[in-house]
Amino acid sequence: MKKILLKILFTAISFVAVNTNCAAYSGPKVEKKLPFSKGLNFSEWLEPVQGFIDGHFNSYGKQDFIDIKNMGAEVVRIPTHFDTFSSGKPDYVIPENLWNKLDKAIDWCEELKLYVIIDFHNDCSGNSKTPPDIEKILSKIWSQIANRYKDRSEYVIYEIMNEPHAIDCAKWGKIQGKMIKLIRTIDSKHSIIVGAADWNSVHELLKLPMYDDDNLIYNYHEYSPFLFTHQGASWSNDVKRITGVPFPYDKNKMPPLPSDATSGERWLYNNYPVESSEEKLVEPINKAVEFVNKRHAALMSNEFGVYSKYADPKERVNWYKIKGGWLDDRNICRVSWDYRGSFGVFNKDSIARFPQDLNVELIKAMGYRVPSSKGTTWFQDAQKNNSYIIYKNGISEKISFHSWIPEASNDCSLYKQDSADEDFYIYVSKAEKYRVLQFHFGDSCNFDSLVKSGACLEFEIRHKEPNLKMSVYFTNSESRGLPWRAGIFPTVKDISGDGQWHKVRIPLSKFADYGAWNNSEQKWYNAQGKFTWTDVVNITFDTAESKITKGLSVRNIVIK
């Protein structure tokens, strides 16, 4: 995702108000159409986010791929920080646990007939720079990717690099050409996505050299007008203090400019009437279409969207309707940034349920269909199969995982394995007090019958801590006021720190009501006897008063 303001290269033109009738500005059409027209980015999954296990803020499973397919998505883009997760210099060896995730994603996409873009993603924060040795990094990594997936189906697509920046545009054009040739020495079948420097600028796209390859997809990122799409975004100095920006432009709705406005803020604000005009917005798109037609190539915009935190919801929906209409009219594939993030399609960023929490008006404006039913939940499937697995060789489908352990950096994993013939397990290298591993069931679960039948929570644990006092608890939803908890304190104090696997089995009936944490008030409430087994939304493993210094491993979590 574009993290800072792109250079504005065109001179100002007279203001023309945006018309919601997309046909008013229909334009030239891309002659080489792709077999897909729209899709979504699965962001912050294979991108390192400081403090999250495996570096992932989001954890996607097969059900997520099924869900977007049911909405009408035809392609999914998977931003992947290959170099960050790799062994680093000199060989940049990609670890097996990253391959495992990509392999599964490709398996699911092929099964669902969903195209998948393997995107070499990178740091796009405002102060970042494309490394000066990027050619060496790309060469090492693309050799591995192409060798691994050269025999996969046509649903696999390669994207050489996301948003190269702080690099000479002509130099990048030559490096990209070398990567095309490198990939073709290994894989002559799969389509390759190419883009320009300056954060995949549409303007720089028009300057790319001619590449001797007839299976390329040219790509640019679509976040115009930037003042509207990124208003209030903390990562961009030129827009983070400006919110309440309307789209289409309306003089009477414009927020005041900060009294101490910077030159960047002032330029964006004063030029917004022009930069948000329909004529100004479609001009570069039309030029891009003409450009790719001369090269007999396809065109896509694989990042496309509006930051949801400050944009007016109706105006945000209108932006997608207008922009999507323009791209569809021109046969330009659009892949929205993103799915579950702050540019996403849900009414809330985290722990969003599909389809209950979908932004219905936004989904319709984007040209997707809203599923008529919410489908089954993890708990309903578990009841049907009489199998209440939470984690076994990975997180069970329809369960989402959340954690934040900043002191462990990226040295934690949801899929660690000692050898190829052993089970995967969750590994935490180190953690401060009150760090959690939290599994969300996706919807409220009625565990009452399980408790009455004598069901137990089982899991295996391994550690070398001298005095571990870890706890585990179940949490109610906030539908009745507070998220009351029932837990065991401590859970594992008698488990030997011998570094061997030990099975823990705790009857659910032993879990006791002990209180609730109100996050909005940042306040703890002592037990009031209000916890109920009829309304359970998650289970949490908590380091409580213990610090993890020598590693903690957990696996095979199940209720039975």
Side-chain angles (χ1 to χ4, degrees), residues 40-42 60 64 67-68 71 338-341 344-346 354:
L40 296 153
N41 276 268
F42 277 178
Y60 293 106
D64 294 291
D67 289 342
I68 67 166
M71 281 171 46
D338 48 4
Y339 181 54
R340 289 192 176 274
V345 300
F346 291 91
F354 182 95

Side-chain angles (χ1 to χ4, degrees), residues 160-202:
I160 291 177
M161 185 176 177
N162 170 77
E163 296 188 353
H165 55 280
I167 182 174
D168 179 76
C169 293
K171 179 181 179 181
W172 166 250
K174 293 177 182 178
I175 291 174
Q176 187 164 240
K178 293 178 181 179
M179 293 308 108
I180 295 169
K181 291 181 179 179
L182 170 65
I183 292 170
R184 290 302 183 220
T185 63
I186 302 167
D187 182 346
S188 61
K189 178 173 69 174
H190 291 104
S191 298
I192 300 174
I193 295 173
V194 295
D198 202 16
W199 284 273
N200 285 151
S201 161
V202 65

Side-chain angles (χ1 to χ4, degrees), residues 360-378:
V360 173
E361 293 306 313
L362 179 64
I363 290 295
K364 291 179 179 178
M366 294 170 74
Y368 291 112
R369 53 180 175 264
V370 179
S372 58
S373 64
K374 68 177 184 179
T376 58
T377 65
W378 166 81

Side-chain angles (χ1 to χ4, degrees), residues 259-519:
S259 58
D260 59 343
T262 65
S263 59
E265 289 172 326
R266 191 174 296 108
W267 193 99
L268 280 171
Y269 188 92
N270 292 336
N271 285 278
Y272 185 64
V274 170
E275 296 302 319
S276 63
S277 70
E278 195 163 356
E279 186 175 352
K280 182 72 170 180
L281 293 173
V282 299
E283 180 185 15
I285 301 174
N286 291 341
K287 288 185 176 181
V289 172
E290 294 168 356
F291 172 80
V292 297
N293 282 342
K294 290 178 181 178
R295 299 194 173 196
H296 307 290
L299 180 63
M300 74 187 311
S301 175
N302 65 22
E303 284 193 25
F304 169 91
V306 179
Y307 183 45
S308 63
K309 188 172 182 178
Y310 297 105
D312 178 87
K314 291 183 179 179
E315 293 174 351
R316 181 173 181 248
V317 165
N318 195 38
W319 185 95
Y320 280 93
K321 185 176 182 179
I322 293 170
K323 283 294 189 77
W326 290 342
L327 299 190
D328 290 349
D329 178 68
R330 291 161 174 76
N331 296 331
I332 302 172
C333 172
R334 49 189 169 89
V335 185
S336 302
W337 188 279
D338 48 4
Y339 181 54
R340 289 192 176 274
S342 56
F343 284 67
V345 300
F346 291 91
N347 286 316
K348 53 185 180 180
D349 286 355
S350 62
I351 321 174
R353 301 167 300 169
F354 182 95
Q356 299 97 308
D357 296 322
L358 284 173
N359 184 329
V360 173
E361 293 306 313
L362 179 64
I363 290 295
K364 291 179 179 178
M366 294 170 74
Y368 291 112
R369 53 180 175 264
V370 179
S372 58
S373 64
K374 68 177 184 179
T376 58
T377 65
W378 166 81
F379 188 65
Q380 289 170 333
D381 291 345
Q383 285 181 306
K384 180 180 179 180
N385 301 320
N386 194 28
S387 177
Y388 299 85
I389 296 172
I390 297 169
Y391 180 100
K392 183 174 178 60
N393 279 318
I395 302 166
S396 290
E397 294 296 332
K398 305 181 185 179
I399 286 180
S400 60
F401 175 83
H402 295 271
S403 185
W404 188 64
I405 310 175
E407 56 275 0
S409 185
N410 293 321
D411 190 24
C412 295
S413 180
L414 280 171
Y415 301 94
K416 195 167 181 65
Q417 193 178 34
D418 293 334
S419 63
D421 59 346
E422 291 191 45
D423 289 343
F424 287 103
Y425 58 89
I426 301 168
Y427 175 71
V428 177
S429 60
K430 57 184 177 181
E432 291 296 318
K433 296 178 180 180
Y434 300 109
R435 300 305 192 204
V436 301
L437 310 175
Q438 194 166 76
F439 301 85
H440 293 265
F441 302 132
D443 229 335
S444 177
C445 305
N446 187 343
F447 283 179
D448 196 48
S449 60
L450 287 171
V451 177
K452 290 177 180 177
S453 68
C456 297
L457 172 70
E458 285 188 3
F459 57 91
E460 294 178 54
I461 191 165
R462 181 176 68 181
H463 71 93
K464 292 184 179 180
E465 303 299 328
N467 190 31
L468 183 63
K469 295 180 180 179
M470 188 174 174
S471 62
V472 62
Y473 55 85
F474 293 89
T475 309
N476 287 162
S477 72
E478 297 183 34
S479 60
R480 294 174 298 106
L482 288 172
W484 298 104
R485 300 176 181 178
I488 298 286
F489 281 85
T491 297
V492 297
K493 66 175 182 177
D494 298 323
I495 300 300
S496 171
D498 58 6
Q500 302 297 313
W501 285 107
H502 296 273
K503 180 179 285 189
V504 178
R505 180 177 171 85
I506 310 167
L508 297 184
S509 60
K510 296 294 185 181
F511 285 76
D513 185 351
Y514 73 94
W517 172 257
N518 188 315
N519 195 52

Side-chain angles (χ1 to χ4, degrees), residues 13 100 111 114 129 164 178 208 253 279 289 298 405 425 468 558:
I13 61 174
N100 288 336
E111 178 184 339
L114 189 68
K129 294 182 179 180
K178 293 178 181 179
L208 284 176
K253 291 184 178 180
E279 186 175 352
V289 172
I405 310 175
Y425 58 89
L468 183 63
V558 63

Side-chain angles (χ1 to χ4, degrees), residues 82-95 141 144:
F82 288 100
D83 56 333
T84 304
F85 287 118
S86 76
S87 62
K89 296 179 180 180
D91 296 322
Y92 295 93
V93 177
I94 300 171
I141 288 175
Q144 295 174 72

